Amino acid sequence: MIRIILFLLLIALAAAGAAWLADQPGDLVLNWGGLRLTSKQPMYLLGLVIVVAMVAGVILRGMWKIPGHVRRGRRERRHARGRHAITRGLLAIGHGDSSAARAHAEVARRHAGGDPLTLLLHAQSAQLDGDRDGAQRAFRAMAERADTRLLGLRGLFIEAQRADDPVAAVMIAEEALKMSPSSSWASHAVLGFCCAKGDWAGALSIIDNNQAAGLIDKATYRRQRGVLLAARALEFETIDRDLSRASAMEALKLAPTLIPAAVLAAKFESEAHQVRRAMRIVETAWLAQPHPDLADAYSHVRLGDAARQRLVRVETLAAKTPGHIEGALAIARAAIDATEFAKARTALEPFTAAPTQRVALLMAEIERTEHGDSGRARAWTLRAVRALHDPVWTADGYVSDRWRPVSPVTGRLDAFQWQTPVAALPSDKGHAIEPSPFQEAMLAPRRVEPPKEVASEPPPPKPAEPVEAKVEVKPVEPATPTAQDNAPLPAAVEAEPTPADPPASEPAPPPAAESAPPAPAPLFRSRTDLPKAAPAPVPAVIPIVRAPDDPGVDEDGAVDEFAEQIGPPKAQIGGWRGFLSRLGS
């Protein structure tokens, strides 16, 4: 509305000025070279001059701004190329192409070196290549700029964690937390460091800042504050009893189902002779999560009670969660202490078919204590080695024998849970290693086949009969080794046919003497189902074969100089043979 009013006022002033100029008397003469313009009404000529001057001014101004437009265009084109290279480089990092990311980072550095995304692209490409020095240089450059300082600190924090330098990582996180109290990663890192060194006041202040900054909701804030107060109470239990009691009571108000806080608060109430209040604290936590520490605190809630009184109290607590294994274990433990072994067996009986380690150990203790049966106790102990695991305090795969406020792996607050550390995998249902067909064949029992019957086997020997005087003797054959009758038969060997009787046309051998004794029956029968090995021909001359480097044996033997006979020297050979022998020597 204001702009419309101003526009109308401007038009009115222009019209008034034109009217005033038209009312003024006089002539306007313009001489320019050979051009002469004369006007009785100078308004028109003045308007023409003004228009020409404006056009000339616009032309001159455009010519003056042409270099700036050219520079701006080139800069915009370079920036567009750099942005395009940054986009392509980030996409290459997304799908893991390190070489393409490095090439696009170089292009982005040439065309858009001052862009914060260029530094980020350089840092991430160096991380993808495993170049930690290059990544740290890029993150330091980002930390020196005001607009990317927090991002650079985050990158340096990650690199310090990869280099296993917790001191540098915590220093960087503290600096980032000073710059931005709402930074979740910095508060998480500093909170874990404060819990690790026992700075509970600093950890509680960080929790308060997170709740004020809106990083966590109210329920999470109450739970985390209760965890920190319970950790402080456990640490100061033997140092500052008053501070420990106050912390435990406040933690119990914030988190009534937190097991360590409930156990410690019940202990303090029991010492103050507030038995009913202590029992209510334990019962509330037990209904949320049954735990052996809660059962132990409930059984000892009244100091000085006998073992049977503790057993009755534990049975009351276990009845609140019927069928739960922790209740049965608590009853069995209290029954063993009270020497009520029948109740202990009855409590553990539903879980003995597939026992856990604690169930098996309790059964071994029952067998050893009640009957002194070391054999059954040893059997239950061996069964406990292969039994199912019991629930333990577990956080991020880390198993601890006690509760802790933060995870030692990730630094996460309230990470420990009471659960079974290892679950059964689907692959456990089958064989770990399937046997090969060769192994199956090797492990299979051997099958012994009976020896094949031979059709030409000679009939069993008959009892000896009186031999007549005339006995036919067959020609003597070469001796062959006689095989034993009880030797195993190879399956691949076929029976050899028995040689037929000699033809009748052959001449009969000469008859032996009548006084020759009869041939005795052989003790072992010859195997007819085995082939007879043909006798190897004996060579007429046996060559002596020596190795190439064998010098052989000296046929003359060793010469003993003391065994030589001393006698007159031999006469020299005469003639030309003697001359040659003397010449050669």
Side-chain angles (χ1 to χ4, degrees), residues 285-518:
W286 178 270
L287 291 174
Q289 176 66 65
H291 193 273
D293 292 345
L294 294 173
D296 183 71
Y298 197 81
S299 63
H300 294 85
V301 69
R302 181 181 288 110
L303 303 178
D305 283 353
R308 296 182 183 275
Q309 294 175 337
R310 293 198 300 268
L311 173 59
V312 174
R313 194 177 299 118
V314 168
E315 289 177 345
T316 304
L317 180 64
K320 297 181 180 298
T321 55
H324 201 279
I325 188 173
E326 291 295 340
L329 290 172
I331 293 175
R333 179 72 271 170
I336 292 174
D337 294 339
T339 65
E340 294 286 344
F341 299 106
K343 287 187 178 182
R345 290 179 183 274
T346 304
L348 296 178
E349 185 177 0
F351 307 99
T352 54
T356 63
Q357 293 179 350
R358 291 168 58 195
V359 171
L361 291 176
L362 285 176
M363 289 297 299
E365 185 176 355
I366 291 172
E367 297 291 347
R368 186 183 302 107
T369 308
E370 183 181 10
H371 302 295
D373 192 346
S374 58
R376 288 182 177 273
R378 189 182 302 109
W380 277 107
T381 304
L382 293 176
R383 194 172 179 182
V385 176
R386 299 182 295 270
L388 301 175
H389 292 279
D390 290 285
V392 289
W393 289 114
T394 307
D396 300 322
Y398 179 84
V399 177
S400 177
D401 57 343
R402 59 184 177 88
W403 176 84
R404 297 183 181 184
V406 294
S407 169
V409 180
T410 60
R412 183 165 53 94
L413 186 63
D414 193 22
F416 276 91
Q417 302 294 328
W418 182 256
Q419 59 186 5
T420 304
V422 179
L425 299 176
S427 59
D428 293 341
K429 299 178 181 178
H431 297 286
I433 300 176
E434 296 181 358
S436 62
F438 176 75
Q439 293 177 346
E440 292 180 355
M442 292 296 295
L443 296 177
R446 295 186 59 184
R447 184 179 62 182
V448 181
E449 297 181 357
K452 298 181 180 180
E453 297 181 358
V454 181
S456 60
E457 185 177 358
K462 298 180 181 180
E465 298 178 356
V467 183
E468 299 179 356
K470 294 183 180 180
V471 179
E472 294 182 359
V473 180
K474 295 183 179 180
V476 180
E477 297 179 356
T480 55
T482 306
Q484 295 184 3
D485 187 49
N486 56 353
L489 291 175
V493 178
E494 298 293 339
E496 183 184 5
T498 307
D501 296 334
S505 59
E506 293 182 2
E514 295 181 0
S515 61

Side-chain angles (χ1 to χ4, degrees), residues 62-82:
M63 294 179 63
W64 179 264
K65 291 183 177 180
I66 285 176
H69 286 295
V70 172
R71 288 193 298 270
R72 190 182 304 110
R74 292 182 59 187
R75 185 165 54 251
E76 290 179 354
R77 287 193 298 270
R78 288 173 60 87
H79 189 69
R81 291 175 184 174

Side-chain angles (χ1 to χ4, degrees), residues 188 191 195 207 223-225 227-228 405-407 410-416:
H188 176 75
L191 178 62
C195 293
I207 291 295
R223 176 73 180 186
Q224 291 183 354
R225 184 175 178 83
V227 168
L228 293 177
V406 294
S407 169
T410 60
R412 183 165 53 94
L413 186 63
D414 193 22
F416 276 91

Side-chain angles (χ1 to χ4, degrees), residues 153-373:
L153 291 176
R154 175 65 186 278
L156 291 176
F157 171 77
I158 294 175
E159 290 300 322
Q161 282 186 326
R162 290 182 176 179
D164 198 12
D165 190 358
V167 178
V170 170
M171 292 177 61
I172 294 170
E174 289 177 347
E175 185 177 357
L177 192 61
K178 292 177 182 178
M179 288 185 56
S180 176
S182 61
S183 179
S184 60
W185 65 270
S187 63
H188 176 75
V190 177
L191 178 62
F193 180 74
C194 291
C195 293
K197 69 178 183 179
D199 185 9
W200 307 115
L204 290 171
S205 65
I206 293 175
I207 291 295
D208 296 337
N209 293 335
N210 291 344
Q211 199 270 341
L215 297 178
I216 55 177
D217 55 3
K218 188 175 181 179
T220 306
Y221 166 72
R222 292 175 60 87
R223 176 73 180 186
Q224 291 183 354
R225 184 175 178 83
V227 168
L228 293 177
L229 289 172
R232 185 172 68 178
L234 290 173
E235 183 177 351
F236 287 94
E237 181 181 1
T238 58
I239 301 174
D240 191 347
R241 301 279 293 181
D242 295 335
L243 179 60
S244 177
R245 178 185 175 86
S247 301
M249 292 305 173
E250 186 180 356
L252 187 65
K253 292 179 182 178
L254 296 173
T257 60
L258 186 61
I259 295 174
V263 171
L264 192 57
K267 181 179 179 181
F268 284 123
E269 293 293 347
S270 176
E271 291 176 354
H273 303 287
Q274 301 293 332
V275 178
R276 293 186 178 274
R277 188 180 302 175
M279 292 175 67
R280 286 196 299 268
I281 291 173
V282 174
E283 289 171 358
T284 303
W286 178 270
L287 291 174
Q289 176 66 65
H291 193 273
D293 292 345
L294 294 173
D296 183 71
Y298 197 81
S299 63
H300 294 85
V301 69
R302 181 181 288 110
L303 303 178
D305 283 353
R308 296 182 183 275
Q309 294 175 337
R310 293 198 300 268
L311 173 59
V312 174
R313 194 177 299 118
V314 168
E315 289 177 345
T316 304
L317 180 64
K320 297 181 180 298
T321 55
H324 201 279
I325 188 173
E326 291 295 340
L329 290 172
I331 293 175
R333 179 72 271 170
I336 292 174
D337 294 339
T339 65
E340 294 286 344
F341 299 106
K343 287 187 178 182
R345 290 179 183 274
T346 304
L348 296 178
E349 185 177 0
F351 307 99
T352 54
T356 63
Q357 293 179 350
R358 291 168 58 195
V359 171
L361 291 176
L362 285 176
M363 289 297 299
E365 185 176 355
I366 291 172
E367 297 291 347
R368 186 183 302 107
T369 308
E370 183 181 10
H371 302 295
D373 192 346

